[in-house]
Amino acid sequence: MSRTSPRGALRVGDRVRFDGQVHTVAGLAGTTVRLVDSHGAPSLMMFTHLMAAEDFELLDSQAGTPGLPPFGQLDTVPEPALRKAQFFERHLIEVETGVPPDAPAGTEPRPEFDPKWRTINERIVAKAAELTTSGTSVSDRTLHRMRLRWRDEGVWGLVDRRATRLSMPSTGRVDERLVEALIEVLASEENKSTGTRTRAMRQAEQLVAERHGEGVVPIPSRATLYRLVKALAEGRHSFDAATTRRSQARRPEAPFTPTMAARPGEVVQIDTTPLDVLAVLDDGVTGRVELTIAVDIASRTICAAILRPAGTKAVDAALLLARILVPEPMRPG
């Protein structure tokens, strides 16, 4: 792999050197990379195999920032939204490379999508017209924006974010301005003595009147307001003990760092999970067991795993490391 190419940086539209030829990255799906060579012939290979190749080199990148495809994020996308994103990705690949991703080797591009004779804008206009004629109404401007997101994020950039948006507590048909005021009032309760729901509702009503004018924001019935306050206050301890509320407010947010790996063995994560099963242990006693497992991030393979009685110890972690380093056919017994 070239020393100048950033490790783990690969996006749709990048040009790479591999196996003595120049290829264009036409698609990223899970741990699979789809390449199209200079003659238009497509090929599929594992991401880790490509990155670990001796002659691999990233010639030019379309990505603004380095990163890996969002493998886990696609698992959270509902099936209809994912199918729609994959539908548009297939057509954008044809716009980008001239041929669909499932075209046989040697397939010639259609005249309206041939990169040799048509500019990218002309190909986008032709594709928008084709999709609209076939029943999927889309403008060339929309398709252009989708192409930019797709080049930056792959198929994840084509996913409708409304399908992956985390749901908030149900607010029914209550005006959003009142909901926003209630959230602000509940957040301000952290350093105050514990009050009542009636006080919180009264403060929210005063707040919306000051901001938007008297009578501008409709106020629902008291029963509806009580239900709304209960839903928004869940987990905040707004009306519980003040010490609990303040202790929770002082708790720092857990750090989160995205894990990136380009080669097998570069990053291995180990975790222990209790299993909801009963097993007969070595001493004949029935008890619960824990599974300690090591997973390679780049290839998504299980390096080793051990099953032990509840209360995994350091010696068990050492055994797990030993199993990782010794191939299974060479292990004693």
Side-chain angles (χ1 to χ4, degrees):
M1 180 176 177
S2 171
R3 293 177 178 266
T4 60
S5 58
R7 298 171 65 189
L10 199 62
R11 290 289 188 272
V12 173
D14 290 353
R15 294 174 62 249
V16 300
R17 189 186 306 281
F18 171 72
D19 198 21
Q21 298 185 41
V22 176
H23 301 262
T24 300
V25 179
L28 296 167
T31 57
T32 305
V33 182
R34 183 177 186 84
L35 301 177
V36 177
D37 63 18
S38 56
H39 302 291
S43 59
L44 287 174
M45 64 183 58
M46 294 295 295
F47 180 82
T48 50
H49 175 70
L50 174 66
M51 300 293 284
E54 289 293 334
D55 63 340
F56 174 80
E57 182 181 1
L58 182 61
L59 300 178
D60 58 78
S61 176
Q62 303 296 332
T65 56
L68 291 175
F71 300 123
Q73 289 178 323
L74 292 178
D75 295 336
T76 65
V77 179
E79 186 64 26
L82 183 58
R83 285 200 303 267
K84 183 178 180 181
Q86 292 170 340
F87 167 80
F88 278 107
E89 182 186 37
R90 181 182 183 278
H91 289 283
L92 286 173
I93 290 175
E94 185 176 13
V95 169
E96 195 75 27
T97 66
V99 293
D102 53 357
T107 301
E108 292 294 329
R110 290 187 286 169
E112 61 270 29
F113 300 112
D114 193 339
K116 296 179 180 179
W117 307 105
R118 302 290 183 181
T119 65
I120 185 63
N121 288 333
E122 290 175 334
R123 302 199 300 270
I124 288 177
V125 171
K127 179 57 69 175
E130 179 185 77
L131 289 174
T132 301
T133 303
S134 63
T136 304
S137 180
V138 60
S139 66
D140 56 305
R141 294 182 60 182
T142 300
L143 207 59
H144 180 72
R145 290 193 298 267
M146 293 173 68
R147 173 178 173 268
L148 294 178
R149 294 198 304 269
W150 173 64
R151 289 172 69 97
D152 288 340
E153 306 175 44
V155 68
W156 175 252
L158 303 177
V159 173
D160 188 346
R161 294 299 193 270
R162 292 173 296 182
T164 61
R165 191 174 299 162
L166 296 177
S167 60
M168 292 184 61
S170 176
T171 59
R173 298 183 179 180
V174 180
D175 193 289
E176 292 183 0
R177 292 170 290 184
L178 179 59
V179 175
E180 182 182 344
L182 274 171
I183 293 175
E184 187 174 334
V185 169
L186 293 175
S188 67
E189 294 290 326
E190 292 178 356
N191 299 315
K192 296 181 181 179
S193 59
T194 303
T196 63
R197 290 174 175 80
T198 302
R199 186 182 76 176
M201 291 187 294
R202 184 171 62 251
Q203 291 176 345
E205 292 175 10
Q206 293 173 353
L207 190 59
V208 294
E210 292 173 1
R211 291 179 176 176
H212 308 287
E214 193 72 34
V216 175
V217 178
I219 306 298
S221 65
R222 307 305 290 182
T224 301
L225 267 181
Y226 270 110
R227 289 193 297 269
L228 179 60
V229 171
K230 181 180 179 180
L232 295 176
E234 186 174 354
R236 296 174 178 268
H237 303 281
S238 300
F239 309 107
D240 298 329
T243 53
T244 303
R245 185 167 60 253
R246 291 165 188 165
S247 175
Q248 183 181 13
R250 288 194 297 268
R251 185 181 305 167
E253 293 186 3
F256 174 76
T257 303
T259 302
M260 298 170 59
R263 297 170 179 264
E266 182 178 353
V267 178
V268 176
Q269 292 184 348
I270 301 177
D271 190 25
T272 298
T273 303
L275 301 182
D276 191 19
V277 295
L278 292 176
V280 179
L281 307 180
D282 294 337
D283 55 3
V285 178
T286 301
R288 296 192 180 277
V289 293
E290 291 180 344
L291 176 66
T292 302
I293 190 170
V295 180
D296 178 67
I297 297 302
S299 61
R300 299 299 196 270
T301 56
I302 299 175
C303 303
I306 58 173
L307 200 61
R308 287 291 181 267
T312 303
K313 301 177 178 60
V315 65
D316 299 319
L319 176 61
L320 183 71
L321 292 175
R323 290 189 176 183
I324 293 175
L325 297 175
V326 180
E328 187 172 359
M330 300 176 62
R331 296 173 190 168

